[in-house]
Amino acid sequence: MRLLGAKTYKNYIGGEWVEAASGETFESVSPADGKTIGVFPRSAPEDVDRAVEAAKAAYEEWRLVPAPKRGEVLFRFAQLLVEHKDELTDLMTHEMGKVRAEAGGDVQEAIDMSYYMAGEGRRLFGQTTPSELRDKFNMSVRMPIGVVGVITPWNFPIAIPSWKVAPALVCGNTVVFKPATDTPALGERFVELLEEAGLPPGVINIVHGGGGAVGDRLVRHPDVPVITLTGSRETGVEVLKAAADNLKHVHLELGGKNAIIVMDDADVELAAEGILWSAFGTSGQRCTAASRVIVHRGVYDALQSKLVSDAEKMRLGPGWEEDTDVGPVINKPALEKIDSYTGIGKDEGAKLLTGGEVASGNGLDRGFYYRPTIFGDVEPGMRIAQEEIFGPTTALIPVDSIDEAIRVANGVMYGLSSSIFTRDVNKAFRAMRDLDTGITYINAGTIGAEVHLPFGGTKDTGNGHREAGQAALDVFTEWKSIYVDYSGKLQKAQIDNAS
Ligand code: UN1
């Protein structure tokens, strides 16, 4: 692979590829086999300051570029992503670890989002509305805000940057982007392609480095009015607090503890397929992963045995090997955290049905592989049924009715995704209304959101915003209401037209 072999990468600031001011570096290492992907600048607050300065200067011109023209750059970017899809997919299997089909899906999601937001350049609709006074015209328009700080996770290393950067840019903002330190090469390729698409210098900037030095400075910088972060609940709370002094707009996309409900009238085969895909796809490292399965007792035994036998057939391996079902998890601390939850589940009295161990042999020792893990007889209050594990572990919780199923599904702090398998339309509509999540699926798993619908969750999954779809535009614009009086005289609202 072209990008493998410890290539040295740089920050991109004001249209120049530059090292960190300190000259310090860090490595990105493949979770699949431990090989070095590249060496990256370990940036400090002063690098962030330079990037923000460049982005602030570029904003003054970029905000005046007509939105359809801004959209055309995104259109070219989408085309470049199409051209480079195989290369990016391959790199993702190495740097992040997901299997090839899913890595291709990740890149495809960015292609979809970029085309969608390119089109938004010719919409960005506001409203026109009557005035309460004669000879007066009212409208509202979306205005860009300024420099957007984009902080992204490693689990969707091309898709999630596109969810944030594409709408930020089409709305007329400029960006300072900090990719996760586990997937910096993918972040860098993303920016190289934006440069190639014709984005003027300073409109997109990338600063590599950790949350402490780079993220924190971005969040506190007075010239960065918008922060968008996908990460853990803990980081989200810290970011919100740090941004409060400057009254920043903060968009947060945080954790999930997503449940699939399987009713006794469900197609059990289909439900099992949906559960395995949602629980073990991306090795369970999606915010939308199904880490709970709430099962009606009428089908509990049948579903459990099908899940266990199918999970045991899944092949672990590097994502680039065609017959791999489940790739590695991202790094050693993640592996240890996932394994610690197996211990917690056993101690709590849940029944370990399969998995529950680090996988080894056949070269797996070189990476971070964990066996697909299913716990049975789980009580809704157990920690494995409450806390986000972010790995290939799911918990089966038996229930007796739709009411109990919905109560259990809602009985967690998060509210991202949910699903129900049922053939009863009444139960499906109950679930659509009563499941307290930002996303609900009927007869499908909890993963697979499409880019033109709002993405995000209720409760501790976020702070009320949504990304993707039209909803994303609300994160990256301010509304301006404009009143045009063409009567030629002073007209006083609320007074001259009093009834
Ligand atoms: C995430 O895990 O943060 O719906 C995003 C899905 C994907 C996106 C997941 N399209 O699972």
Side-chain angles (χ1 to χ4, degrees):
M1 255 194 54
R2 187 171 78 78
L3 286 160
L4 291 180
K7 180 184 155 192
T8 300
Y9 292 76
K10 292 186 174 163
N11 289 332
Y12 184 63
I13 298 178
E16 307 280 333
W17 292 97
V18 292
E19 285 170 13
S22 68
E24 285 182 34
T25 57
F26 69 96
E27 281 192 359
S28 168
V29 173
S30 172
D33 62 5
K35 291 206 177 119
T36 301
I37 303 280
V39 180
F40 296 82
R42 184 185 294 281
S43 311
E46 58 182 307
D47 300 298
V48 176
D49 292 354
R50 288 178 56 207
V52 172
E53 205 181 306
K56 197 181 169 192
Y59 174 65
E60 288 311 322
E61 175 50 31
W62 182 245
R63 74 185 177 91
L64 301 178
V65 173
K69 294 283 160 202
R70 297 194 298 249
E72 282 173 22
V73 178
L74 291 179
F75 189 85
R76 283 196 294 277
F77 176 58
Q79 288 176 308
L80 286 169
L81 287 170
V82 171
E83 272 174 42
H84 291 270
K85 185 173 175 183
D86 286 348
E87 169 225 322
L88 292 167
T89 299
D90 202 30
L91 176 60
M92 201 180 300
T93 63
H94 285 83
E95 190 177 47
M96 183 274 162
K98 62 177 80 174
V99 300
R100 193 183 296 280
E102 293 187 54
D106 190 313
V107 179
Q108 187 59 45
E109 203 160 332
I111 294 167
D112 297 343
M113 182 59 88
S114 302
Y115 278 133
Y116 179 82
M117 287 298 165
E120 207 47 57
R122 289 196 181 265
R123 289 187 293 268
L124 284 181
F125 294 141
Q127 300 102 24
T128 58
T129 176
S131 168
E132 63 190 46
L133 294 160
R134 280 174 190 260
D135 299 330
K136 199 175 171 194
F137 184 86
N138 294 350
M139 62 188 151
S140 63
V141 294
R142 290 188 181 276
M143 304 296 285
I145 307 177
V147 179
V148 176
V150 169
I151 304 175
T152 57
W154 44 263
N155 69 332
F156 277 81
I158 294 290
I160 291 182
S162 81
W163 295 7
K164 300 178 186 305
V165 171
L169 293 180
V170 82
C171 290
N173 306 284
T174 55
V175 169
V176 177
F177 168 34
K178 187 203 101 58
T181 47
D182 283 303
T183 51
L186 288 156
E188 178 131 343
R189 288 298 290 135
F190 184 87
V191 170
E192 283 171 8
L193 295 178
L194 275 171
E195 181 192 30
E196 202 179 326
L199 215 52
V203 174
I204 180 85
N205 304 273
I206 185 168
V207 182
H208 293 287
V214 175
D216 187 67
R217 180 61 184 155
L218 207 46
V219 168
R220 291 176 197 276
H221 200 298
D223 291 332
V224 181
V226 186
I227 295 290
T228 170
L229 163 94
T230 298
S232 69
R233 182 190 183 282
E234 292 66 34
T235 309
V237 171
E238 269 179 48
V239 164
L240 206 49
K241 284 184 185 158
D245 281 341
N246 286 308
L247 291 169
K248 296 192 183 201
H249 300 207
V250 180
H251 161 259
L252 300 174
E253 172 49 41
L254 310 174
K257 192 67 192 174
N258 315 293
I260 293 180
I261 296 173
V262 184
M263 295 309 299
D264 52 354
D265 58 34
D267 176 339
V268 172
E269 298 277 316
L270 177 66
E273 259 187 82
I275 293 161
L276 292 170
W277 171 231
S278 302
F280 303 135
T282 323
S283 305
Q285 303 170 112
R286 294 194 192 214
C287 316
T288 49
S291 52
R292 297 182 296 152
V293 183
I294 301 169
V295 194
H296 194 284
R297 280 187 211 278
V299 288
Y300 186 88
D301 289 341
L303 183 71
Q304 170 183 306
S305 57
K306 169 96 184 119
L307 287 175
V308 170
S309 81
D310 286 357
E312 285 172 356
K313 287 184 203 124
M314 291 181 126
R315 186 186 167 277
L316 279 84
W320 60 84
E321 287 179 6
E322 288 306 332
D323 55 348
T324 296
D325 298 308
V326 181
V329 300
I330 191 68
N331 54 33
K332 190 137 198 270
L335 190 71
E336 286 167 357
K337 178 182 168 190
I338 294 160
D339 196 42
S340 79
Y341 271 99
T342 295
I344 291 167
K346 284 190 209 158
D347 290 348
E348 285 176 312
K351 201 156 126 199
L352 180 62
L353 300 172
T354 185
E357 59 182 9
V358 174
S360 54
N362 287 332
L364 296 182
D365 315 68
R366 289 197 288 272
F368 308 114
Y369 295 88
Y370 204 76
R371 294 220 173 275
T373 300
I374 304 176
F375 276 103
D377 296 338
V378 176
E379 298 282 343
M382 288 178 178
R383 285 183 62 193
I384 55 165
Q386 290 288 325
E387 297 171 17
E388 189 175 44
I389 301 171
F390 225 63
T393 299
T394 199
L396 308 186
I397 307 171
V399 292
D400 290 304
S401 66
I402 180 79
D403 293 304
E404 189 185 357
I406 289 174
R407 205 167 49 242
V408 169
N410 288 341
V412 291
M413 74 201 296
Y414 298 113
L416 182 52
S417 185
S418 57
S419 133
I420 184 167
F421 282 86
T422 179
R423 287 167 165 136
D424 179 341
V425 69
N426 296 354
K427 292 195 179 80
F429 270 83
R430 276 279 315 277
M432 280 151 62
R433 185 190 63 195
D434 293 340
L435 286 171
D436 189 2
T437 51
I439 303 167
T440 292
Y441 291 88
I442 308 297
N443 292 326
T446 50
I447 67 177
E450 302 174 29
V451 302
H452 50 301
L453 274 77
F455 183 92
T458 61
K459 302 192 280 187
D460 286 17
T461 291
N463 56 345
H465 295 286
R466 293 291 183 272
E467 53 194 335
Q470 295 285 300
L473 306 178
D474 293 330
V475 173
F476 300 107
T477 55
E478 291 269 23
W479 281 114
K480 177 180 274 193
S481 298
I482 300 175
Y483 301 91
V484 182
D485 192 319
Y486 57 98
S487 70
K489 56 186 189 236
L490 178 68
Q491 301 195 84
K492 304 191 198 83
Q494 293 93 37
I495 295 173
D496 288 350
N497 58 350
S499 46

